[in-house]
Amino acid sequence: MKKLVKNFAHFYYSRPPAHKMPEAFAKINSRNLFRKNSRGTILIENVIFIILNVIFLSIIILFLARQSSGAYVLEESYAKQIALIADYGKPDMLVKIDLSKGMKVAENNKFNFADAVNVDGNVVHVKLRDDGGYSYSFFNNVDLGEPYPDTDENGNYNGLYVITISEKNVLENEAQND
Amino acid sequence: MIKGKTGTDKVVSVYWFAVIVIIAGGVFAMAYSFYGHPYDVREIEGDILANKIADCISVQGRLNEKLHSESGGFDGNFSDDFYSICNFNFNSESDYGWDKTAQYFTEINFYNLSDTENSVFEIKKGNMNYKQDCYMTDKKNKDYKKFAKCSEKRIYALDDSGKQYLIKILAGVAKTEKNVKL
């Protein structure tokens, strides 16, 4: 009984005043939470689950990125775009078309970007790899000459391709349609 | 084999695995259906063709001078020299044998305003077999995409004497193999 009274007295007299209680509680709580030997619960399943989710999302994003910048898709898209430009264009026009994605694909495939676009008569050929390529024809009887890649101040390709539209020989035109 | 893993957790994992498989399947299917089909540019091509023909036939609201014959009326030579006058080349690449069969066609009809049923002059060029595809308007038909795409334009123009004509231009592009997944 004596011991109990002694303990109560120690607790009563050593406790902080009422207006300081919240701070004291916080002290006690932080001491308990961050003490050295506390054993926390490691949610290893959750960590694995999150890692797997991140891997899964990365695979999907990579897959979509590869699909959208695949050589075949770009070859088709560029060939049709250039053919439509030729259809709509008029002589003495100079058109610069952005093929920067194609330039990266050609570099990855170790293919010379300067050979990416060729025009044979009224057919556009686009090639971004050694084995492949896509052709599309246009009906406007204009001469696209020899399209060439544009360069920056240092002479490096900047991803643009230059197409000059000029008039075709009339006699050649008649011969083609006969 | 994780300590403390309950039966419920395992069920949740299987459920999430199923969800991931379904999502992955959906993404792959969408990507395949989007990138696995060629870009269909025939409608744009047909529109450009019809516009170019209109530009050739009517210059600032007046009929092309080459359409007039010396004796009055329309000059049949315009039809013969249509490609060179209007600067067209209906040849296509050799893929799918397109170099042997034209993939474009056009039909141009000129009407007096007093009679818009019977044309007074007409020009037909290209592969006219595709003309019937223009009347296939049932989009529910599973073969609808395989038909040639057409563009129709109506313009008015004056001749030298100030007579007004209605001109109906029908232009079409086939090129099915390179614009539709068959």
Side-chain angles (χ1 to χ4, degrees):
Chain A
M1 187 64 186
K2 265 185 185 175
K3 201 179 178 183
L4 192 68
V5 171
K6 196 182 172 187
N7 281 345
F8 177 76
H10 174 75
F11 170 74
Y12 187 80
Y13 291 111
S14 65
R15 71 175 183 167
H19 66 279
K20 284 192 175 177
M21 279 300 272
E23 199 182 334
F25 269 95
K27 234 176 189 177
I28 291 161
N29 285 338
S30 68
R31 237 182 259 145
N32 287 340
L33 274 176
F34 299 108
R35 73 178 180 216
K36 275 184 184 173
N37 296 326
S38 68
R39 288 173 63 86
T41 316
I42 301 165
L43 300 171
I44 195 143
E45 312 96 272
N46 289 14
V47 173
I48 291 170
F49 182 69
I50 289 165
I51 290 169
L52 284 175
N53 272 348
V54 169
I55 292 169
F56 166 73
L57 285 172
S58 309
I59 289 169
I60 284 184
I61 289 165
L62 276 175
F63 170 75
L64 289 175
R66 279 183 68 92
Q67 284 287 313
S68 62
S69 61
Y72 182 81
V73 174
L74 288 177
E75 283 169 352
E76 183 199 345
S77 155
Y78 291 154
K80 286 182 176 175
Q81 274 184 52
I82 295 168
L84 290 177
I85 288 169
D87 281 336
Y88 206 78
K90 287 180 179 173
D92 301 330
M93 273 186 176
L94 187 142
V95 182
K96 285 188 179 184
I97 181 168
D98 183 9
L99 306 186
S100 47
K101 270 189 177 179
M103 188 175 77
K104 282 177 193 165
V105 171
E107 278 170 7
N108 290 340
N109 292 331
K110 292 173 185 169
F111 187 79
N112 187 4
F113 184 57
D115 300 329
V117 180
N118 287 295
V119 180
D120 179 19
N122 68 326
V123 181
V124 179
H125 304 277
V126 178
K127 209 168 154 64
L128 300 172
R129 55 206 159 137
D130 285 323
D131 50 341
Y134 196 91
S135 307
Y136 205 75
S137 60
F138 52 92
F139 58 77
N140 194 9
N141 200 39
V142 287
D143 189 5
L144 296 192
E146 288 182 10
Y148 57 92
D150 198 16
T151 51
D152 59 15
E153 295 152 355
N154 302 322
N156 299 320
Y157 297 142
N158 58 10
L160 298 176
Y161 235 88
V162 183
I163 299 163
T164 47
I165 302 173
S166 52
E167 210 162 332
K168 222 172 196 180
N169 192 336
V170 176
L171 291 173
E172 196 183 328
N173 180 15
E174 280 171 359
Q176 278 173 346
N177 285 296
D178 283 342
Chain B
M1 302 301 284
I2 297 161
K3 274 183 185 177
K5 194 166 179 69
T6 63
T8 319
D9 289 339
K10 283 175 189 169
V11 172
V12 169
S13 297
V14 171
Y15 166 73
W16 271 108
F17 182 74
V19 168
I20 283 173
V21 168
I22 290 165
I23 292 170
V27 170
F28 286 124
M30 279 190 285
Y32 178 75
S33 69
F34 186 77
Y35 293 111
H37 291 75
Y39 296 107
D40 193 350
V41 295
R42 294 175 301 164
E43 282 189 28
I44 306 170
E45 251 185 305
D47 279 342
I48 298 172
L49 179 58
N51 281 334
K52 285 268 174 187
I53 292 167
D55 286 345
C56 173
I57 288 191
S58 166
V59 183
Q60 294 179 336
R62 297 251 168 207
L63 285 178
N64 189 321
E65 287 177 3
K66 290 175 182 170
L67 270 165
H68 303 296
S69 68
E70 289 176 2
S71 58
F74 289 93
D75 190 347
N77 289 330
F78 186 91
S79 181
D80 298 336
D81 301 334
F82 175 75
Y83 292 118
S84 57
I85 294 170
C86 293
N87 221 23
F88 288 131
N89 182 354
F90 282 2
N91 295 330
S92 297
E93 62 268 37
S94 56
D95 304 4
Y96 306 104
W98 288 357
D99 51 341
K100 288 168 191 156
T101 53
Q103 296 298 304
Y104 300 98
F105 78 90
T106 184
E107 185 181 88
I108 310 157
N109 286 296
F110 297 77
Y111 299 91
N112 284 323
L113 285 189
S114 53
D115 180 11
T116 55
E117 294 288 312
N118 303 303
S119 64
V120 289
F121 184 64
E122 69 172 14
I123 299 167
K124 287 181 180 179
K125 287 288 168 185
N127 190 345
M128 291 309 295
N129 293 329
Y130 290 119
K131 189 191 167 188
Q132 59 192 358
D133 289 4
C134 300
Y135 305 110
M136 304 291 183
T137 52
D138 182 14
K139 289 189 179 180
K140 287 176 187 170
N141 188 328
K142 64 176 182 178
D143 291 331
Y144 176 75
K145 283 184 179 176
K146 295 177 189 171
F147 297 135
K149 292 283 172 260
C150 305
S151 177
E152 192 173 11
K153 295 231 172 289
R154 288 170 182 228
I155 58 170
Y156 293 90
L158 300 170
D159 68 0
D160 279 350
S161 61
K163 194 175 176 187
Q164 203 174 11
Y165 289 94
L166 165 66
I167 304 159
K168 290 182 185 174
I169 301 165
L170 183 68
V173 181
K175 292 186 172 181
T176 308
E177 292 86 346
K178 284 197 172 181
N179 287 281
V180 180
K181 188 164 189 183
L182 299 173

